Amino acid sequence: MKKILVINGPNLNMLGKRKEEHYGRLTLDMICDSMTTLASDLDMSLTFVQYNGEGEIIDCIHSGMDYDGLIINAGAYTHYSYAISDALEILSIPKIEVHLSNIHARESFRSQSVIARSCTGQISGFKESSYILALYALRDLLKD
Ligand code: DQA
């Protein structure tokens, strides 16, 4: 069984109350539940964390050494946190950057991801399905 760490950053605890056109209607708990359901079919165990603070996210990424893969939605930190990018760079496991909204089709500041250089790939714009697609990507990347 592959161990996957799923990190959600600032304001993602408020899903369900954020702009539906960008983020959909589901709460973070609902997204985590549908990921857990799929994970059992994919023989994966998921650990979910959500932090609003940059330092907590960095500490959590450091604990990623114990996992086989990582999924991260760093929220707005995506666009300017070199510290999160540097923390991700340390980990040699596959890392998938996810976004509910299409960050390339919104305000110009969102189209830059400073964490993309430290991730295996990016999935953006499929609302809650972005997380589901990330699980399939990790399933393929972690095939023995
Ligand atoms: C987000 C996109 C970011 O620009 C924004 O700050 C978020 C969520 C997304 O999932 O679409 O909080 O990462």
Side-chain angles (χ1 to χ4, degrees):
M1 178 162 296
K2 303 291 184 190
K3 289 168 61 185
I4 310 296
L5 178 60
V6 183
I7 303 177
N8 277 287
N11 298 309
L12 292 161
N13 55 318
M14 299 306 282
L15 289 177
K17 295 188 169 71
R18 298 185 72 183
K19 282 196 171 165
E20 193 180 323
E21 78 244 46
H22 297 309
Y23 304 116
R25 272 201 242 170
L26 300 190
T27 63
L28 188 56
D29 281 348
M30 290 159 93
I31 293 173
C32 294
D33 283 350
S34 60
M35 292 176 80
T36 301
T37 303
L38 174 62
S40 68
D41 287 348
L42 300 182
D43 201 28
M44 291 173 166
S45 78
L46 306 182
T47 300
F48 296 103
V49 296
Q50 188 278 326
Y51 297 113
N52 290 315
E54 188 178 19
E56 293 160 300
I57 294 171
I58 291 165
D59 288 340
C60 183
I61 292 168
H62 293 166
S63 77
M65 309 270 186
D66 300 331
Y67 292 85
D68 300 300
L70 178 146
I71 295 171
I72 182 162
N73 184 347
Y77 291 134
T78 302
H79 313 300
Y80 64 92
S81 177
Y82 299 114
I84 290 177
S85 186
D86 284 351
L88 287 166
E89 189 183 53
I90 297 165
L91 288 185
S92 53
I93 58 174
K95 294 152 278 181
I96 314 292
E97 173 187 355
V98 303
H99 301 284
L100 295 139
S101 63
N102 179 352
I103 60 170
H104 304 286
R106 299 182 60 193
E107 301 97 320
S108 58
F109 77 87
R110 291 187 206 274
S111 64
Q112 196 201 6
S113 165
V114 302
I115 69 167
R117 69 171 186 93
S118 306
C119 291
T120 312
Q122 183 192 76
I123 299 170
S124 173
F126 301 97
K127 298 211 168 78
E128 60 275 4
S129 299
S130 295
Y131 291 88
I132 297 294
L133 293 167
L135 284 180
Y136 283 116
L138 282 178
R139 186 265 319 262
D140 290 353
L141 289 166
L142 294 171
K143 248 181 204 144
D144 301 314

mmCIF file of all heavy atoms in Angstrom, residues 94-124:
data_model
loop_
_atom_site.group_PDB
_atom_site.id
_atom_site.type_symbol
_atom_site.label_atom_id
_atom_site.label_comp_id
_atom_site.label_asym_id
_atom_site.label_seq_id
_atom_site.Cartn_x
_atom_site.Cartn_y
_atom_site.Cartn_z
ATOM 1 N N PRO A 94 7.442 11.600 -5.795
ATOM 2 C CA PRO A 94 6.589 12.336 -6.729
ATOM 3 C C PRO A 94 5.678 13.319 -5.988
ATOM 4 O O PRO A 94 5.106 12.964 -4.949
ATOM 5 C CB PRO A 94 5.763 11.233 -7.403
ATOM 6 C CG PRO A 94 6.492 9.968 -7.158
ATOM 7 C CD PRO A 94 7.246 10.143 -5.876
ATOM 8 N N LYS A 95 5.581 14.518 -6.535
ATOM 9 C CA LYS A 95 4.795 15.589 -5.901
ATOM 10 C C LYS A 95 3.885 16.201 -6.951
ATOM 11 O O LYS A 95 4.375 16.671 -7.986
ATOM 12 C CB LYS A 95 5.737 16.690 -5.361
ATOM 13 C CG LYS A 95 6.624 16.276 -4.231
ATOM 14 C CD LYS A 95 7.917 17.077 -4.185
ATOM 15 C CE LYS A 95 8.951 16.532 -5.145
ATOM 16 N NZ LYS A 95 10.243 17.259 -5.122
ATOM 17 N N ILE A 96 2.583 16.218 -6.681
ATOM 18 C CA ILE A 96 1.629 16.765 -7.639
ATOM 19 C C ILE A 96 1.050 18.062 -7.075
ATOM 20 O O ILE A 96 0.484 18.072 -5.970
ATOM 21 C CB ILE A 96 0.455 15.790 -7.917
ATOM 22 C CG1 ILE A 96 0.959 14.358 -8.164
ATOM 23 C CG2 ILE A 96 -0.388 16.309 -9.086
ATOM 24 C CD1 ILE A 96 1.735 14.154 -9.424
ATOM 25 N N GLU A 97 1.193 19.137 -7.836
ATOM 26 C CA GLU A 97 0.586 20.428 -7.482
ATOM 27 C C GLU A 97 -0.841 20.450 -8.026
ATOM 28 O O GLU A 97 -1.037 20.186 -9.212
ATOM 29 C CB GLU A 97 1.415 21.551 -8.127
ATOM 30 C CG GLU A 97 0.805 22.926 -7.967
ATOM 31 C CD GLU A 97 1.557 23.996 -8.747
ATOM 32 O OE1 GLU A 97 2.627 23.710 -9.347
ATOM 33 O OE2 GLU A 97 1.059 25.132 -8.771
ATOM 34 N N VAL A 98 -1.815 20.736 -7.171
ATOM 35 C CA VAL A 98 -3.203 20.797 -7.656
ATOM 36 C C VAL A 98 -3.837 22.155 -7.352
ATOM 37 O O VAL A 98 -3.495 22.815 -6.362
ATOM 38 C CB VAL A 98 -4.118 19.683 -7.073
ATOM 39 C CG1 VAL A 98 -3.592 18.304 -7.360
ATOM 40 C CG2 VAL A 98 -4.380 19.853 -5.610
ATOM 41 N N HIS A 99 -4.752 22.526 -8.237
ATOM 42 C CA HIS A 99 -5.600 23.707 -8.040
ATOM 43 C C HIS A 99 -6.999 23.384 -8.506
ATOM 44 O O HIS A 99 -7.176 22.747 -9.553
ATOM 45 C CB HIS A 99 -5.057 24.914 -8.818
ATOM 46 C CG HIS A 99 -3.674 25.272 -8.398
ATOM 47 N ND1 HIS A 99 -3.417 25.932 -7.219
ATOM 48 C CD2 HIS A 99 -2.482 25.001 -8.963
ATOM 49 C CE1 HIS A 99 -2.099 26.060 -7.088
ATOM 50 N NE2 HIS A 99 -1.509 25.501 -8.130
ATOM 51 N N LEU A 100 -7.977 23.832 -7.735
ATOM 52 C CA LEU A 100 -9.375 23.664 -8.146
ATOM 53 C C LEU A 100 -9.671 24.519 -9.375
ATOM 54 O O LEU A 100 -10.321 24.077 -10.316
ATOM 55 C CB LEU A 100 -10.293 24.080 -6.993
ATOM 56 C CG LEU A 100 -10.190 23.207 -5.741
ATOM 57 C CD1 LEU A 100 -10.220 24.055 -4.490
ATOM 58 C CD2 LEU A 100 -11.291 22.182 -5.713
ATOM 59 N N SER A 101 -9.214 25.771 -9.338
ATOM 60 C CA SER A 101 -9.475 26.695 -10.445
ATOM 61 C C SER A 101 -8.335 26.612 -11.457
ATOM 62 O O SER A 101 -7.256 26.076 -11.152
ATOM 63 C CB SER A 101 -9.590 28.124 -9.898
ATOM 64 O OG SER A 101 -8.368 28.534 -9.309
ATOM 65 N N ASN A 102 -8.600 27.146 -12.641
ATOM 66 C CA ASN A 102 -7.536 27.222 -13.650
ATOM 67 C C ASN A 102 -6.722 28.487 -13.374
ATOM 68 O O ASN A 102 -7.129 29.595 -13.736
ATOM 69 C CB ASN A 102 -8.153 27.257 -15.052
ATOM 70 C CG ASN A 102 -7.092 27.354 -16.129
ATOM 71 O OD1 ASN A 102 -5.903 27.542 -15.850
ATOM 72 N ND2 ASN A 102 -7.509 27.234 -17.371
ATOM 73 N N ILE A 103 -5.570 28.319 -12.720
ATOM 74 C CA ILE A 103 -4.797 29.497 -12.294
ATOM 75 C C ILE A 103 -4.259 30.283 -13.482
ATOM 76 O O ILE A 103 -3.869 31.443 -13.332
ATOM 77 C CB ILE A 103 -3.645 29.126 -11.319
ATOM 78 C CG1 ILE A 103 -2.656 28.141 -11.954
ATOM 79 C CG2 ILE A 103 -4.197 28.582 -10.006
ATOM 80 C CD1 ILE A 103 -1.375 27.944 -11.124
ATOM 81 N N HIS A 104 -4.260 29.679 -14.672
ATOM 82 C CA HIS A 104 -3.743 30.368 -15.860
ATOM 83 C C HIS A 104 -4.817 31.202 -16.554
ATOM 84 O O HIS A 104 -4.531 31.903 -17.518
ATOM 85 C CB HIS A 104 -3.144 29.344 -16.826
ATOM 86 C CG HIS A 104 -2.079 28.524 -16.161
ATOM 87 N ND1 HIS A 104 -0.826 29.026 -15.869
ATOM 88 C CD2 HIS A 104 -2.105 27.264 -15.656
ATOM 89 C CE1 HIS A 104 -0.118 28.103 -15.238
ATOM 90 N NE2 HIS A 104 -0.873 27.026 -15.099
ATOM 91 N N ALA A 105 -6.051 31.108 -16.078
ATOM 92 C CA ALA A 105 -7.169 31.807 -16.742
ATOM 93 C C ALA A 105 -7.788 32.849 -15.813
ATOM 94 O O ALA A 105 -8.920 33.257 -16.012
ATOM 95 C CB ALA A 105 -8.224 30.794 -17.165
ATOM 96 N N ARG A 106 -7.021 33.270 -14.790
ATOM 97 C CA ARG A 106 -7.574 34.214 -13.809
ATOM 98 C C ARG A 106 -6.706 35.477 -13.765
ATOM 99 O O ARG A 106 -6.137 35.861 -14.773
ATOM 100 C CB ARG A 106 -7.672 33.522 -12.437
ATOM 101 C CG ARG A 106 -8.594 32.296 -12.459
ATOM 102 C CD ARG A 106 -8.731 31.655 -11.093
ATOM 103 N NE ARG A 106 -9.290 32.579 -10.117
ATOM 104 C CZ ARG A 106 -9.288 32.366 -8.793
ATOM 105 N NH1 ARG A 106 -8.768 31.231 -8.316
ATOM 106 N NH2 ARG A 106 -9.808 33.249 -7.962
ATOM 107 N N GLU A 107 -6.625 36.137 -12.608
ATOM 108 C CA GLU A 107 -5.784 37.334 -12.503
ATOM 109 C C GLU A 107 -4.339 36.956 -12.854
ATOM 110 O O GLU A 107 -3.895 35.836 -12.565
ATOM 111 C CB GLU A 107 -5.810 37.891 -11.070
ATOM 112 C CG GLU A 107 -7.185 38.278 -10.561
ATOM 113 C CD GLU A 107 -7.811 37.179 -9.713
ATOM 114 O OE1 GLU A 107 -7.674 35.980 -10.050
ATOM 115 O OE2 GLU A 107 -8.448 37.529 -8.708
ATOM 116 N N SER A 108 -3.571 37.935 -13.385
ATOM 117 C CA SER A 108 -2.230 37.589 -13.877
ATOM 118 C C SER A 108 -1.320 37.078 -12.745
ATOM 119 O O SER A 108 -0.477 36.220 -12.979
ATOM 120 C CB SER A 108 -1.602 38.763 -14.617
ATOM 121 O OG SER A 108 -1.547 39.857 -13.755
ATOM 122 N N PHE A 109 -1.511 37.583 -11.496
ATOM 123 C CA PHE A 109 -0.608 37.120 -10.428
ATOM 124 C C PHE A 109 -0.761 35.627 -10.156
ATOM 125 O O PHE A 109 0.159 34.982 -9.664
ATOM 126 C CB PHE A 109 -0.802 37.940 -9.135
ATOM 127 C CG PHE A 109 -2.026 37.598 -8.324
ATOM 128 C CD1 PHE A 109 -1.998 36.586 -7.365
ATOM 129 C CD2 PHE A 109 -3.217 38.301 -8.492
ATOM 130 C CE1 PHE A 109 -3.114 36.270 -6.597
ATOM 131 C CE2 PHE A 109 -4.344 37.995 -7.734
ATOM 132 C CZ PHE A 109 -4.302 36.974 -6.791
ATOM 133 N N ARG A 110 -1.934 35.069 -10.516
ATOM 134 C CA ARG A 110 -2.148 33.644 -10.234
ATOM 135 C C ARG A 110 -1.501 32.734 -11.278
ATOM 136 O O ARG A 110 -1.341 31.532 -11.056
ATOM 137 C CB ARG A 110 -3.642 33.320 -10.180
ATOM 138 C CG ARG A 110 -4.333 33.916 -8.989
ATOM 139 C CD ARG A 110 -5.762 33.423 -8.889
ATOM 140 N NE ARG A 110 -6.577 34.390 -8.176
ATOM 141 C CZ ARG A 110 -6.711 34.440 -6.850
ATOM 142 N NH1 ARG A 110 -6.119 33.559 -6.091
ATOM 143 N NH2 ARG A 110 -7.452 35.370 -6.282
ATOM 144 N N SER A 111 -1.156 33.296 -12.420
ATOM 145 C CA SER A 111 -0.663 32.412 -13.481
ATOM 146 C C SER A 111 0.775 31.974 -13.215
ATOM 147 O O SER A 111 1.263 31.041 -13.837
ATOM 148 C CB SER A 111 -0.806 33.059 -14.852
ATOM 149 O OG SER A 111 0.001 34.185 -14.901
ATOM 150 N N GLN A 112 1.444 32.643 -12.272
ATOM 151 C CA GLN A 112 2.780 32.167 -11.921
ATOM 152 C C GLN A 112 2.702 31.240 -10.704
ATOM 153 O O GLN A 112 2.111 31.589 -9.681
ATOM 154 C CB GLN A 112 3.727 33.326 -11.597
ATOM 155 C CG GLN A 112 5.168 32.847 -11.621
ATOM 156 C CD GLN A 112 6.133 33.718 -10.842
ATOM 157 O OE1 GLN A 112 5.752 34.663 -10.168
ATOM 158 N NE2 GLN A 112 7.404 33.379 -10.927
ATOM 159 N N SER A 113 3.289 30.047 -10.830
ATOM 160 C CA SER A 113 3.439 29.158 -9.678
ATOM 161 C C SER A 113 4.922 29.038 -9.391
ATOM 162 O O SER A 113 5.665 28.503 -10.217
ATOM 163 C CB SER A 113 2.861 27.774 -9.963
ATOM 164 O OG SER A 113 3.341 26.865 -8.979
ATOM 165 N N VAL A 114 5.347 29.500 -8.199
ATOM 166 C CA VAL A 114 6.764 29.373 -7.855
ATOM 167 C C VAL A 114 7.074 27.995 -7.284
ATOM 168 O O VAL A 114 8.238 27.659 -7.074
ATOM 169 C CB VAL A 114 7.257 30.494 -6.896
ATOM 170 C CG1 VAL A 114 7.031 31.861 -7.494
ATOM 171 C CG2 VAL A 114 6.610 30.387 -5.515
ATOM 172 N N ILE A 115 6.025 27.191 -7.041
ATOM 173 C CA ILE A 115 6.285 25.823 -6.554
ATOM 174 C C ILE A 115 6.341 24.809 -7.700
ATOM 175 O O ILE A 115 6.774 23.682 -7.509
ATOM 176 C CB ILE A 115 5.275 25.368 -5.475
ATOM 177 C CG1 ILE A 115 3.870 25.153 -6.041
ATOM 178 C CG2 ILE A 115 5.237 26.354 -4.312
ATOM 179 C CD1 ILE A 115 2.941 24.414 -5.077
ATOM 180 N N ALA A 116 5.917 25.217 -8.899
ATOM 181 C CA ALA A 116 5.854 24.264 -10.024
ATOM 182 C C ALA A 116 7.222 23.651 -10.319
ATOM 183 O O ALA A 116 7.323 22.465 -10.650
ATOM 184 C CB ALA A 116 5.298 24.946 -11.266
ATOM 185 N N ARG A 117 8.279 24.440 -10.171
ATOM 186 C CA ARG A 117 9.626 23.949 -10.482
ATOM 187 C C ARG A 117 10.037 22.791 -9.560
ATOM 188 O O ARG A 117 10.932 22.013 -9.900
ATOM 189 C CB ARG A 117 10.671 25.081 -10.388
ATOM 190 C CG ARG A 117 10.884 25.553 -8.969
ATOM 191 C CD ARG A 117 12.054 26.524 -8.789
ATOM 192 N NE ARG A 117 12.225 26.785 -7.363
ATOM 193 C CZ ARG A 117 13.056 26.109 -6.575
ATOM 194 N NH1 ARG A 117 13.838 25.168 -7.057
ATOM 195 N NH2 ARG A 117 13.122 26.384 -5.283
ATOM 196 N N SER A 118 9.391 22.718 -8.393
ATOM 197 C CA SER A 118 9.756 21.681 -7.415
ATOM 198 C C SER A 118 8.797 20.493 -7.439
ATOM 199 O O SER A 118 8.922 19.581 -6.621
ATOM 200 C CB SER A 118 9.754 22.269 -6.001
ATOM 201 O OG SER A 118 10.562 23.410 -5.936
ATOM 202 N N CYS A 119 7.808 20.528 -8.341
ATOM 203 C CA CYS A 119 6.806 19.457 -8.392
ATOM 204 C C CYS A 119 6.976 18.629 -9.654
ATOM 205 O O CYS A 119 7.541 19.079 -10.648
ATOM 206 C CB CYS A 119 5.391 20.047 -8.349
ATOM 207 S SG CYS A 119 4.991 20.771 -6.745
ATOM 208 N N THR A 120 6.441 17.416 -9.602
ATOM 209 C CA THR A 120 6.507 16.527 -10.762
ATOM 210 C C THR A 120 5.597 17.052 -11.867
ATOM 211 O O THR A 120 5.935 16.976 -13.061
ATOM 212 C CB THR A 120 6.057 15.110 -10.337
ATOM 213 O OG1 THR A 120 6.739 14.762 -9.138
ATOM 214 C CG2 THR A 120 6.353 14.086 -11.428
ATOM 215 N N GLY A 121 4.436 17.557 -11.497
ATOM 216 C CA GLY A 121 3.497 18.102 -12.476
ATOM 217 C C GLY A 121 2.409 18.876 -11.783
ATOM 218 O O GLY A 121 2.317 18.885 -10.547
ATOM 219 N N GLN A 122 1.583 19.524 -12.613
ATOM 220 C CA GLN A 122 0.534 20.412 -12.088
ATOM 221 C C GLN A 122 -0.819 20.037 -12.700
ATOM 222 O O GLN A 122 -0.888 19.787 -13.906
ATOM 223 C CB GLN A 122 0.874 21.853 -12.470
ATOM 224 C CG GLN A 122 -0.083 22.895 -11.947
ATOM 225 C CD GLN A 122 0.158 24.249 -12.621
ATOM 226 O OE1 GLN A 122 -0.222 24.470 -13.764
ATOM 227 N NE2 GLN A 122 0.818 25.149 -11.898
ATOM 228 N N ILE A 123 -1.866 20.001 -11.875
ATOM 229 C CA ILE A 123 -3.234 19.765 -12.358
ATOM 230 C C ILE A 123 -4.078 20.943 -11.876
ATOM 231 O O ILE A 123 -4.160 21.206 -10.674
ATOM 232 C CB ILE A 123 -3.799 18.436 -11.817
ATOM 233 C CG1 ILE A 123 -2.927 17.268 -12.296
ATOM 234 C CG2 ILE A 123 -5.251 18.244 -12.281
ATOM 235 C CD1 ILE A 123 -3.248 15.932 -11.640
ATOM 236 N N SER A 124 -4.697 21.654 -12.808
ATOM 237 C CA SER A 124 -5.326 22.927 -12.471
ATOM 238 C C SER A 124 -6.603 23.112 -13.277
ATOM 239 O O SER A 124 -6.592 22.937 -14.501
ATOM 240 C CB SER A 124 -4.317 24.044 -12.806
ATOM 241 O OG SER A 124 -4.877 25.316 -12.668
#
